[in-house]
Structures are given as C-alpha cells and as structure tokens.
Amino acid sequence: MPPESFSTKADAPLLPTLRRFLPYLWPVGEPGLKVRIVIAMLLVLCSKLVQVYGAPFALQGAVDGMANGDRSATTLIVAMVLGYAAARFGTTLFDNLRNTVFERVGQDATRRLAARVFRHLHALGLDFHLARRTGAVTKVIERGTKSIDSMLYFLLFNIAPTILELGLVIGLFWTKFGWPLVAATLVMVVVYIWFTRKVTDWRQALRAEMNDLDTGAVAHAVDSLLNFETVKYFGAEEREAKRYEQGVEAYARAAVKSENSLAWLNVGQAAITNLMMGLGMAYIVWGWSQGRFTAGNVVFVSTLLAQLFRPLDLLGMVYRMIRQGVIDMGAMFDLVDTPASIVDAPDAAPLVVTKGHIRFDDVRFGYEAGHDILKGLDLDIAAGSTLAVVGPSGAGKSTLARLMYRFYDLTGGRITIDGQDIATVTQASLRSAIGIVPQDTVLFNDTIGYNIAYGREGADQSEIENAARGASIAPFIERQTDGYATRVGERGLKLSGGEKQRVAIARTLLKNPPFLILDEATSALDSRTESDILATLEAIERGRTTIVIAHRLSTIVHADQIIVLDAGRIAERGTHADLLRWRGLYADMWARQAREREEALVAE
C-alpha cells in the first residue's frame, strides 16, 4: 500500500484500534513499568478522595461555623479553612507525583512503538520505498507515536478518575441531599456527554480534512526541497512556492473551520454545566428555606459540582484527543500492517560462501504481472571472475543487481550462489555477502568518516583510513580542515561526483564482500575522473566474483565474460575480442561510442 493512502479518516474504527493500543497500558515483560502504573493509579485514588471528601467538607464546615455566629469557634474555623487549602494542595501534589511516576511508562511506550514502526519500514520491500512519499510517511509516524503517550495519559488519568469522582459525588449527593440532585446530576452528565460526542464527531471530519491537507503540504515541501536542484534547473522556484502556498492556504481554511467549531463546542458545554450549577444551588437554597439544609451546603454542592465540571470540561477535550489519537494511530497501524513483499522462508539458513560461484537458471522476472523484463536468462559466473552486462536502456541490466540482492522475488527460475538458491537463505546473510558501487551514490548527511564506516558496523578508525587509501580518496580527505569529520551535506551534495564514487568504493572495500556489483559506477563521471576511478575499481575486483553493469564499453574490456542484453534475453556472449570479431550488436555499440569519443575530442 503506498504511503499516500495512509490518510486520516474520520470513521477510523475505534474499538479495533483501542484493542491494539491497550497492550501498551500493561506492557508484557516489564514489571518495573507495571509497578509504576499501579503506584500512579493509587495516587489518582488519593487525589480524588482528598478532592471529594477533603476540600468540600472543610469549606462547608467553615461556612457553617461562620454562619452560626459563634466566634468562640474561630480557631476551629481557621483550622477548617487551612484544611481546605491543604486539601487543594494535596490534590495538586498527588496529581504531579502521579505524572512523575507515570512519565517513564508513556515515554517507554512511545519508544517501543516508534522503534517497531521504524524497523518495519526497513523490512518493507523496494516496491514500497519506490512508491513512498517521505514527507507523508514521516508525518504519519510522528502523529502516531506521539498519540500513544497522550492516549495512555487520558485513559488512565482523565476518564478513569472522572468516572471515580462521579461515583463519589453521586454517593454524597444521595446520602446528604436525596434523589432529585442525584437525578439532575446524572441527566446533566448524560446530556453533556451526548452533546460533546455529537459536536466532536462533526469537528473530527473537519480535523481529518485539516490533517490530510497538512500532510500533503508537508509531503510536497519535503519533496520539493529534496529536489531543489531540479527546481533551480527549470527556474521553478516561484511555481513551487505558489503550489506550496496553495496547500498551506487550503490547510488554513480548514483550520479556521475547525477552530470555529471548537468555539461552538465550548459554548454548548458551558451552557450545560452552568445550568446544572444554577439548578443545583437553587435546589439547596430551596431546601435551606425549608430548614432542611444549611448555608454551608450551598458551598458544599457548588464546590463538588465545580470540581466535577473541571474533568467533565476536560472530558470533552479528552474525547476529541482520543478520537484524534485513534485516527493517528489507525493510520500508523495501517503502515505497520503493510506486508513486506520479500520475507525469509520459514526454514531459511544463512548463506555459506565457499567458492563464490553464481548461476542464473532460466531466470524470469517482471515488475508487473504479465510483463517480463527478463525472459529466461541463463548465466554462469565462475568464482573470482568478472561478468560485464551491456545493452540498451530498459533491457534489464540494473534489474540483475536488484535480483541479486533479492529486492524482488523471481517469477520463474532461480539464482544460486555456490549451489544455494538465494530464495532459501536469509536476506541478511545474502546482502552481507554482496557489495555494490551504484551509479548514483547517495550519502548520509553526516561526516565522510561515518559514510565510509557505514560499510561495516564496528570498524575502527585505522580500518576506515585503510579503506579510504584503497579507494584513493585519503589524500582528498586529509586536505580538508576537519579531515574524516568533514560533513558531506544532504545526499552528499558537498562532494563532487568522483569524490562521492570514491566514498562508495571505500565503503565497499571496508565491507570486504566476496561478491561485487558495479552498477554503471562511472557513467555520470567525466573521462578523466572515470579513468582514475577505473583503475581503483579494477583493483578491488581482483579475487572477487564481480558483475559490472556498464553503459560505456571502454570500462569493461577487461571482463572475463561480456553479455549483451536485448529485450530481456542474451543476444550475444563472449569476451571483448570475440564480440568485436563477430560484428554484431556489441561491435555496433563499440563503433558508435568510438565515433562519439572522436567527435567529443574534435569539439574540444
């Protein structure tokens, strides 16, 4: 599933998403985190008990004491007032202790989920990554991982405590004031929840539209910035700016609608809660007029209702956040559920390289069903030899490299290494045995040393420097002010084409694989840089089984075997001398490139 389809949907399934989320509330194999959750819930209980039974009773006692006019009880009244203040402080203290205890649980859940998603993204096949939009995928991951922490917090510390507090308040109202106040409170809560849900569901559709527009704007911005060279080549800066501005403008319109709808929600919620507050206090005043209640009961009821309204007000926000969290996590879980197109066989064993013999047996492959790129390819590459593959664009040359790495599975035939079908060995062991110098070397936005060291985890500085010397890039690095700590910029754009290729060669030398693929490694270079790098490439080919995919025939005259691919089949096979002597496709290509070189020299 392409990343573009991971949109935020207002009708995201609530219960299935919550079922996938709930294990993070009680993490398996983490007794320390479970203890923290238990302690946090005990602190919640303490906070609610103090809030319901401490503050209102203390304040009611102080008001009743003052209303009686008995000034001899001033000390007791002062104590009650101080107790009221202490209860309010205790509530704040318990809440913050709860947050401190629980913080690690939320962060750990976020960490585990983020790591799982990141690991899954790297497990997905090349077909997914060729179709992805990096900005959209990163936005989905960002929203999804952030939502889990807030979901844990809201479920444990808003919904559960609110239900507990409502139960305690209802119990007090029943015992002290009778069923009318209980009934009115329950009706208010039901109406409040119904109103909040209806309006929030309406707002959620607006929010989903806003998020989709935001994701699209960010995805385009990232894509445009990654391709800034192309933008400048075509003088399209203003075009890109207008397109981005249009996306931001559409997002702004959706955001205005969403924020305006929030105002209506807040007004409606305030109307319901304040109506209940007025009716509840009026009921107590009526009871006081009949001698049933005291003046302090008015303060008692108003304090309890005010305390209950605070989490109810938050409940509206909590419901919105939970709905949004479900949408965000649903989009991320859709990403997690995207199946990997290439997986290890259940009984896959590590690849064992003994000699380094590669064989393609009747290999058939197509990127789309019914449209084969390779049509029954047979190749035998002896251990330690060099095979060169040439042919027109679209003949399937670079496809060979992807199939060797098992980025795709074959539609027919098999590829074997020392007799082992690569479909039956683990992908990790297969890819660890192959090194590649690609046509377009893309480097990490880090240091030269880091990019070379990427060839083999755990390599020390001396090994990195030896690899740089082997790739003939050590003198260039040593001339830099920061040496191996020199940063290469986004995708290595601070380096020239030749310098990037030498870093790629050094990285492969450090990996020291038994198999080597050179995928048009010099096609983007000028003649002088190409001749310098060719010597380096030929040196690292020695002793390795090598596949060279080439466009310039002058770079593969030394190959032990050359094949000419045409329309997915081998049109010619032999050494450079043999193919020239046969005066076929290869000889025509050689003659044409020779003329092009002569014309280029004349033009200079």
Side-chain angles (χ1 to χ4, degrees):
M1 183 189 300
E4 289 88 335
S5 64
F6 302 130
S7 61
T8 52
K9 299 171 287 186
D11 60 345
L14 178 63
L15 292 180
T17 304
L18 285 179
R19 276 198 296 270
R20 296 190 64 171
F21 158 76
L22 287 177
Y24 293 95
L25 277 174
W26 197 253
V28 178
E30 297 287 349
L33 296 180
K34 291 179 180 178
V35 169
R36 285 179 173 271
I37 294 172
V38 171
I39 293 174
M41 296 309 296
L42 289 175
L43 289 169
V44 169
L45 180 60
C46 292
S47 173
K48 289 305 175 186
L49 290 175
V50 170
Q51 188 175 17
V52 174
Y53 289 102
F57 278 104
L59 189 57
Q60 174 186 261
V63 172
D64 282 340
M66 294 175 69
N68 291 335
D70 184 3
R71 288 174 173 75
S72 62
T74 301
T75 302
L76 179 59
I77 295 172
V78 169
M80 289 182 177
V81 172
L82 293 177
Y84 170 74
R88 288 176 59 86
F89 171 75
T91 299
T92 302
L93 176 64
F94 287 133
D95 286 347
N96 282 275
L97 287 174
R98 171 204 71 193
N99 293 344
T100 302
V101 170
F102 186 77
E103 181 62 26
R104 180 169 294 181
V105 178
Q107 291 299 327
D108 186 80
T110 301
R111 173 190 61 79
R112 286 184 286 118
L113 184 58
R116 178 187 174 191
V117 176
F118 188 76
R119 192 171 282 112
H120 180 72
L121 280 175
H122 277 291
L124 293 177
L126 190 62
D127 52 350
F128 174 89
H129 289 282
L130 290 177
R132 74 179 181 180
R133 297 185 69 185
T134 305
V137 172
T138 53
K139 199 69 176 180
V140 166
I141 297 172
E142 177 189 354
R143 288 199 191 114
T145 52
K146 283 183 176 179
S147 67
I148 189 169
D149 187 29
S150 58
M151 290 279 282
L152 284 169
Y153 185 89
F154 289 138
L155 286 174
L156 287 178
F157 304 140
N158 286 96
I159 293 180
T162 300
I163 294 172
L164 173 62
E165 184 173 359
L166 178 61
L168 295 175
V169 169
I170 292 299
L172 285 174
F173 283 179
W174 181 272
T175 57
K176 291 179 66 66
F177 308 112
W179 68 266
L181 192 58
V182 170
T185 302
L186 290 176
V187 168
M188 182 274 297
V189 170
V190 170
V191 171
Y192 184 95
I193 292 174
W194 174 84
F195 174 79
T196 299
R197 180 175 180 180
K198 286 295 183 181
V199 177
T200 301
D201 287 341
W202 166 56
R203 293 193 67 242
Q204 203 59 59
L206 299 176
R207 179 79 179 182
E209 178 188 3
M210 186 177 71
N211 279 348
D212 283 341
L213 291 171
D214 182 33
T215 298
V218 171
H220 173 69
V222 171
D223 195 32
S224 179
L225 291 174
L226 286 175
N227 292 279
F228 73 91
E229 286 177 290
T230 304
V231 174
K232 290 186 178 296
Y233 289 153
F234 293 93
E237 292 92 341
E238 185 61 26
R239 188 194 319 168
E240 290 294 313
K242 287 181 179 178
R243 184 178 173 189
Y244 178 68
E245 186 177 1
Q246 289 171 355
V248 174
E249 184 180 353
Y251 168 78
R253 288 195 299 267
V256 168
K257 291 181 182 178
S258 179
E259 290 304 313
N260 289 346
S261 66
L262 177 60
W264 288 109
L265 177 62
N266 290 337
V267 169
Q269 289 174 334
I272 295 171
T273 54
N274 282 284
L275 177 62
M276 177 58 201
M277 176 77 79
L279 291 176
M281 294 176 68
Y283 173 73
I284 298 301
V285 171
W286 174 79
W288 168 79
S289 69
Q290 295 185 332
R292 294 171 55 192
F293 306 136
T294 68
N297 289 150
V298 175
V299 177
F300 181 81
V301 169
S302 66
T303 302
L304 279 179
L305 288 177
Q307 290 178 170
L308 181 61
F309 292 160
R310 280 199 295 272
L312 280 179
D313 286 341
L314 287 177
L315 191 61
M317 183 268 291
V318 167
Y319 179 71
R320 295 194 301 272
M321 295 301 294
I322 287 179
R323 286 295 303 167
Q324 185 59 45
V326 167
I327 290 172
D328 291 340
M329 285 196 297
M332 186 180 60
F333 285 139
D334 284 346
L335 186 61
V336 172
D337 291 339
T338 303
S341 55
I342 306 298
V343 295
D344 288 340
D347 56 348
L351 175 69
V352 178
V353 180
T354 53
K355 297 179 180 178
H357 175 222
I358 301 174
R359 181 164 181 79
F360 285 63
D361 289 323
D362 193 27
V363 168
R364 298 176 182 275
F365 174 74
Y367 293 102
E368 299 176 3
H371 183 65
D372 282 351
I373 301 296
L374 300 178
K375 305 170 182 177
L377 201 66
D378 287 304
L379 287 174
D380 195 298
I381 310 171
S385 67
T386 296
L387 167 75
V389 184
V390 300
S393 297
K397 302 187 298 298
S398 294
T399 299
L400 294 180
R402 292 175 172 179
L403 295 180
M404 275 294 298
Y405 269 96
R406 204 188 163 208
F407 289 155
Y408 298 94
D409 276 333
L410 307 179
T411 55
R414 65 176 192 155
I415 302 174
T416 62
I417 294 178
D418 290 332
Q420 303 159 84
D421 190 333
I422 65 171
T424 65
V425 301
T426 61
Q427 297 174 69
S429 64
L430 171 67
R431 292 165 187 167
S432 68
I434 305 173
I436 187 169
V437 180
Q439 175 182 3
D440 181 20
T441 299
V442 179
L443 304 181
F444 291 97
N445 189 1
D446 210 300
T447 65
I448 294 178
Y450 174 85
N451 279 281
I452 295 175
Y454 204 79
R456 177 161 52 83
E457 186 177 8
D460 59 32
Q461 186 62 28
S462 62
E463 292 173 315
I464 294 171
E465 292 176 2
N466 287 336
R469 282 192 287 271
S472 301
I473 196 174
F476 164 78
I477 297 173
E478 291 163 1
R479 287 196 301 270
Q480 306 306 305
T481 303
D482 296 326
Y484 286 85
T486 301
R487 301 193 72 87
V488 301
E490 188 82 35
R491 296 181 297 150
L493 291 178
K494 290 185 178 180
L495 303 183
S496 69
E499 290 157 358
K500 287 200 296 183
Q501 290 291 51
R502 289 187 187 279
V503 170
I505 294 169
R507 189 160 57 189
T508 301
L509 279 174
L510 187 63
K511 185 176 183 179
N512 193 27
F515 304 101
L516 182 63
I517 297 175
L518 305 177
D519 187 3
E520 302 201 44
T522 63
S523 63
L525 305 179
D526 59 80
S527 300
R528 177 176 297 180
T529 304
E530 179 186 64
S531 62
D532 292 340
I533 287 182
L534 277 177
T536 304
L537 290 175
E538 290 179 21
I540 69 172
E541 287 177 32
R542 299 189 189 104
R544 309 175 200 273
T545 306
T546 304
I547 298 176
V548 181
I549 299 166
H551 171 71
R552 296 179 184 174
L553 304 186
S554 58
T555 63
I556 47 96
V557 294
H558 66 287
D560 300 299
Q561 181 184 181
I562 301 172
I563 65 167
V564 181
L565 279 184
D566 187 26
R569 291 187 173 88
I570 298 177
E572 297 177 359
R573 186 196 315 252
T575 64
H576 172 70
D578 293 336
L579 294 173
L580 287 181
R581 188 167 58 251
W582 295 338
R583 299 182 180 279
L585 288 174
Y586 182 86
D588 289 344
M589 293 167 63
W590 178 268
R592 184 166 59 251
Q593 290 188 11
R595 286 195 301 272
E596 290 172 356
R597 287 195 298 271
E598 290 175 0
E599 290 171 359
L601 289 174
V602 170
E604 291 177 357

